[in-house]
């Protein structure tokens, strides 16, 4: 495929494709007017913001966006059925945030075999037949958290990792970036526990409550997302440990913004989630119209602390607080 460039504007990366990709003079076939979006979990602040970005672009292009929510990271069979449904509808392209990249590979490749291009976003299907992938630099998000958390605990002591679900590229890469950066830059910081739970506040709360008992010398907690971080913060408050344990997070939802305002997070490494949704839709629409695509779109990570909270341009980062998919 012919590939078009990405242009970076300031701190934010925007995929710029020819105007003809969005507004063609000749009418497109009927199925090209519909793009499917298979979403792991619309209870997640991340996916709400990604859908918001995709919907912005769909409205601007006059294209229907069909959203199907698997209802949770563990609901792989549900997502497989939903991708099959989108393929049977004959949509122009499908955007997939995978519940499990390996598990959905077969159904994604079946769709591609039927001539329906697939674009992966954030947690892409584990297939080399995707038209494009769109993501943040997840390894860098983990690296930024490691540096921040190490500094917050004076570069020594015990930390635990609320590392996120297994089988999803974003959680694996963030965890890897965190572990490898600590080992290289803060060798006196020791990881004493790592949980691979789904992105769920209540599950994180329960696990962190256990950690407060098992690790009385715990100094820090890495949380793969801010929803998980909220569960950790609640557990530390209940145990009277907030003064002793620092927490880092990722994503920058309204939850994280409030935690930063309250100085209950050391920092959050953030990705431009709305921009990812926009870019994924743009690539999917281009692929549906057999136009040039960018095979890999990676948007840079940023670090936010309580002191820098007011400096962040939220328009490419998170959906408005009152948005509902």
């Amino acid at each position: 495929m012919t590939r078009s460039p990405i242009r970076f504007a300031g701190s934010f990366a925007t995929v710029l494709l020819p105007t003809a990709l969005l507004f063609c003079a000749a009418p497109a076939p009927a199925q090209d007017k519909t793009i499917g979006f298979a979403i792991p979990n619309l209870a997640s602040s991340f996916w709400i913001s990604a859908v918001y970005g995709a919907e912005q672009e769909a409205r601007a292009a006059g294209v229907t966006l069909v959203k199907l929510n698997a209802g949770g990271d563990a609901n792989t069979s549900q997502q497989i059925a939903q991708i099959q449904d989108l393929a049977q509808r004959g949509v122009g392209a499908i955007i997939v945030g995978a519940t499990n990249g390996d598990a959905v590979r077969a159904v994604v490749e079946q769709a591609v075999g039927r001539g329906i291009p697939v674009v992966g976003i954030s947690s892409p299907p584990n297939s080399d037949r995707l038209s494009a992938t769109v993501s943040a630099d997840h390894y860098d998000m983990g690296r930024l958290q490691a540096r921040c958390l190490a500094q917050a605990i004076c570069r020594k002591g015990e930390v635990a990792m609320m590392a996120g679900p297994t089988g999803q590229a974003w959680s694996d890469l963030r965890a890897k970036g965190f572990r490898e950066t600590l080992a290289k830059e803060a060798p006196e910081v020791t990881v004493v526990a790592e949980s691979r739970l789904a992105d769920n506040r209540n599950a994180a709360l329960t696990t962190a409550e256990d950690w407060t008992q098992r690790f009385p010398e715990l100094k820090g907690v890495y949380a793969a997302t801010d929803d998980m971080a909220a569960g950790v913060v609640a557990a530390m408050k209940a145990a009277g440990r907030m003064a002793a344990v620092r927490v880092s997070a990722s994503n920058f939802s309204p939850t994280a913004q409030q935690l930063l305002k309250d100085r209950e997070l050391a920092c959050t490494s953030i990705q431009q989630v709305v921009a990812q949704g926009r870019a994924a839709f743009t690539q999917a629409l281009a692929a549906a119209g057999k136009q040039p695509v960018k095979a890999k779109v990676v948007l840079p990570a940023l670090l936010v602390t309580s002191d820098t909270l007011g400096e962040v341009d939220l328009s490419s980062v998170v959906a408005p607080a009152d948005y509902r998919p």
Side-chain angles (χ1 to χ4, degrees), residues 6-62:
I6 289 182
R7 181 178 301 165
F8 290 88
S11 297
F12 297 101
T14 305
V15 178
L16 298 181
L17 294 170
T19 304
L21 297 186
L22 298 180
F23 303 100
C24 299
Q31 73 261 29
D32 290 349
K33 291 295 185 182
T34 301
I35 302 295
F37 196 158
I39 305 151
N41 186 8
L42 269 179
S44 163
S45 56
F46 172 89
W47 290 110
I48 290 172
S49 292
V51 169
Y52 174 74
E55 285 190 337
Q56 282 187 314
E57 293 301 308
R59 283 194 299 270

Side-chain angles (χ1 to χ4, degrees), residues 11 136-153 155 159 161 170 173-186 189 221-224 246-252 260 265-272 298-305 308 312:
S11 297
D137 188 337
H138 293 292
Y139 184 94
D140 195 45
M141 293 176 75
R143 180 183 64 83
L144 290 173
Q145 278 202 62
R147 288 179 172 175
C148 164
L149 197 58
Q151 182 176 359
I153 65 172
R155 310 186 73 79
V159 300
M161 295 178 63
W170 64 267
L173 286 169
R174 289 183 201 177
K176 183 179 181 182
F178 182 81
R179 284 192 303 267
E180 292 185 350
T181 302
L182 280 186
K184 183 177 180 179
E185 300 183 11
V189 176
V221 177
Y222 158 95
R246 304 306 306 275
V247 181
S248 68
S250 286
N251 284 358
F252 205 62
L260 285 168
L265 285 182
C267 60
T268 182
S269 61
I270 70 172
Q271 54 182 315
Q272 301 168 60
V298 180
L299 283 78
L302 305 169
L303 188 72
V304 181
T305 67
T308 62
V312 180

Side-chain angles (χ1 to χ4, degrees), residues 1-320:
M1 285 184 164
T2 304
R3 300 181 179 183
S4 58
I6 289 182
R7 181 178 301 165
F8 290 88
S11 297
F12 297 101
T14 305
V15 178
L16 298 181
L17 294 170
T19 304
L21 297 186
L22 298 180
F23 303 100
C24 299
Q31 73 261 29
D32 290 349
K33 291 295 185 182
T34 301
I35 302 295
F37 196 158
I39 305 151
N41 186 8
L42 269 179
S44 163
S45 56
F46 172 89
W47 290 110
I48 290 172
S49 292
V51 169
Y52 174 74
E55 285 190 337
Q56 282 187 314
E57 293 301 308
R59 283 194 299 270
V63 171
T64 300
L65 183 68
V66 178
K67 307 179 293 290
L68 296 181
N69 175 25
D73 294 322
N75 296 341
T76 299
S77 59
Q78 173 78 351
Q79 185 170 62
I80 289 171
Q82 291 173 339
I83 294 170
Q84 288 172 332
D85 177 62
L86 290 169
Q88 289 167 0
R89 293 190 196 191
V91 296
I94 304 173
I95 303 167
V96 178
T99 53
N100 183 297
D102 292 326
V104 303
R105 174 178 177 175
V107 70
V108 163
E109 293 186 349
Q110 288 171 8
V112 173
R114 297 178 62 167
I116 300 172
V118 176
V119 172
I121 178 173
S122 184
S123 53
N126 186 16
S127 171
D128 59 7
R129 299 183 65 187
L130 302 179
S131 293
T133 60
V134 176
S135 70
D137 188 337
H138 293 292
Y139 184 94
D140 195 45
M141 293 176 75
R143 180 183 64 83
L144 290 173
Q145 278 202 62
R147 288 179 172 175
C148 164
L149 197 58
Q151 182 176 359
I153 65 172
C154 300
R155 310 186 73 79
K156 63 173 61 178
E158 297 179 352
V159 300
M161 295 178 63
M162 201 72 68
T166 57
Q168 295 203 4
W170 64 267
S171 59
D172 293 341
L173 286 169
R174 289 183 201 177
K176 183 179 181 182
F178 182 81
R179 284 192 303 267
E180 292 185 350
T181 302
L182 280 186
K184 183 177 180 179
E185 300 183 11
E188 293 186 72
V189 176
T190 304
V191 177
V192 294
E194 180 174 345
S195 173
R196 297 309 300 260
L197 298 169
D199 183 7
N200 181 286
R201 184 180 307 195
N202 290 333
L205 169 63
T206 300
T207 300
E209 286 174 340
D210 176 61
W211 288 348
T212 63
Q213 300 297 316
R214 291 172 55 201
F215 306 111
E217 300 301 318
L218 192 67
K219 299 298 183 184
V221 177
Y222 158 95
T225 71
D226 41 34
D227 288 337
M228 299 177 82
V232 174
V233 167
M236 295 304 157
K237 281 183 175 180
R241 299 282 298 278
M242 276 303 295
V245 179
R246 304 306 306 275
V247 181
S248 68
S250 286
N251 284 358
F252 205 62
S253 71
T255 296
Q257 294 171 50
Q258 189 59 52
L259 291 172
L260 285 168
K261 287 176 184 177
D262 295 340
R263 296 189 174 273
E264 293 175 341
L265 285 182
C267 60
T268 182
S269 61
I270 70 172
Q271 54 182 315
Q272 301 168 60
V273 185
V274 173
Q276 286 184 59
R278 292 173 184 154
F281 179 86
T282 300
Q283 298 301 311
L285 187 62
K290 296 180 171 49
Q291 298 293 325
V293 299
K294 176 71 179 181
K296 189 173 183 179
V297 180
V298 180
L299 283 78
L302 305 169
L303 188 72
V304 181
T305 67
S306 298
D307 294 332
T308 62
L309 181 60
E311 302 171 10
V312 180
D313 177 3
L314 298 181
S315 63
S316 293
V317 175
V318 66

